[in-house]
Amino acid sequence: MRVVSLVPSLTEAVARTVPAVLAGATDWCTHPPNLDVVRVGGTKNPKLDRIVSLAPDLVIANEEENRAPDLAALRAAGVEVLLTEVRDVPRAFRELARVLDACGAAARPRWLDEAEEAWSALPVPGVRRTAVVPVWRRPWMVLGRDTFAGDVLSRLGVDHVHATHPERYPRLPLEELRAAAPDVVVLPDEPYRFTADDGPEAFAGLPCALVSGRHLTWYGPSLAEAPRVLGEALRAALR
């Protein structure tokens, strides 16, 4: 079987479980670090001719990460596309199992069991905090309604203040983000790479948590350690 993945987190899941089937992946598929497959462009601008030339039995995609016209073009070229939709942690586990089964995994991988155990073992948060969660700047964009990352934070006791916004990733003025006066500003290192020198200065006077975007937004093997990694970063910011 030959598989092309257009989703970095699913690429990591397939590479960890059934590496021999993975024929191609996007330029943004950085895990595992030693991944050696044909690169097919970005998640939003894949090289469709290159994908078709690989003669894949299956292309793995996601409704948020990938553009519908690209997937339609692949289907029109006779390529089977498995489209995932992940808006919360439980759905991530179901979709991961579906993807791995479609890729020919002989058995459920241990890492997937460990990830589910890590999330099911979380204690009920004693104190809930509020957060603003930028995912881009110039312009500023934040988590809005119905997002996987928002559900991840909620399970860790952090409620982001734009969870009921009509848009999933609203663009909002920086002044409005500051005026929300959250307990913490959560700054991931992807898709925008917020760093200690690029991000916190915009929120002077507010605690800022620099977190791993892979642990906040990816649904794959990183889910097993995400509660610990994210929890440590949040606690450090809120001391």
Side-chain angles (χ1 to χ4, degrees):
M1 186 174 195
R2 294 172 62 79
V3 174
V4 172
S5 173
L6 301 181
V7 186
S9 53
L10 297 179
T11 298
E12 183 179 12
V14 174
R16 280 278 302 272
T17 310
V18 278
V21 308
L22 198 60
T26 74
D27 299 341
W28 298 105
C29 294
T30 56
H31 286 73
N34 61 348
L35 185 65
D36 184 17
V37 296
V38 175
R39 300 295 176 160
V40 298
T43 58
K44 306 295 186 188
N45 56 346
K47 294 178 170 60
L48 302 181
D49 290 346
R50 184 174 298 176
I51 294 172
V52 172
S53 73
L54 290 172
D57 300 293
L58 184 68
V59 169
I60 304 166
N62 175 264
E63 51 90 28
E64 181 175 294
E65 295 248 20
N66 309 119
R67 298 172 60 250
D70 293 328
L71 305 183
L74 288 171
R75 291 188 177 105
V79 176
E80 182 178 352
V81 176
L82 187 159
L83 185 63
T84 61
E85 180 179 315
V86 177
R87 302 288 178 89
D88 56 38
V89 173
R91 184 63 181 268
F93 293 131
R94 294 196 296 272
E95 291 287 60
L96 282 164
R98 183 166 74 101
V99 166
L100 296 176
D101 181 66
C103 291
R108 182 182 172 89
R110 178 59 189 157
W111 65 258
L112 187 53
D113 288 334
E114 291 173 348
E116 286 209 65
E117 290 165 5
W119 284 96
S120 63
L122 280 178
V124 176
V127 177
R128 300 201 68 83
R129 306 286 190 170
T130 60
V132 164
V133 190
V135 293
W136 202 258
R137 70 182 299 177
R138 305 183 193 97
W140 287 95
M141 296 175 64
V142 298
L143 290 187
R145 65 167 180 84
D146 197 22
T147 65
F148 172 74
D151 187 59
V152 164
L153 290 171
S154 178
R155 291 168 188 274
L156 296 172
V158 177
D159 301 312
H160 69 94
V161 300
H162 300 102
T164 58
H165 195 281
E167 297 178 24
R168 296 187 65 221
Y169 297 98
R171 299 182 181 190
L172 298 173
L174 179 58
E175 295 74 19
E176 184 174 333
L177 303 184
R178 290 184 183 132
D183 295 319
V184 63
V185 179
V186 178
L187 298 169
D189 61 10
E190 62 174 78
Y192 186 90
R193 188 173 180 80
F194 289 106
T195 67
D197 299 319
D198 186 355
E201 81 289 344
F203 299 94
L206 292 173
C208 290
L210 293 165
V211 303
S212 161
R214 176 167 166 261
H215 292 96
L216 180 62
T217 66
W218 287 34
Y219 32 89
S222 57
L223 278 170
E225 59 187 18
R228 175 184 58 80
V229 172
L230 293 173
E232 290 173 352
L234 292 167
R235 285 190 295 273
L238 288 165
R239 283 176 185 158

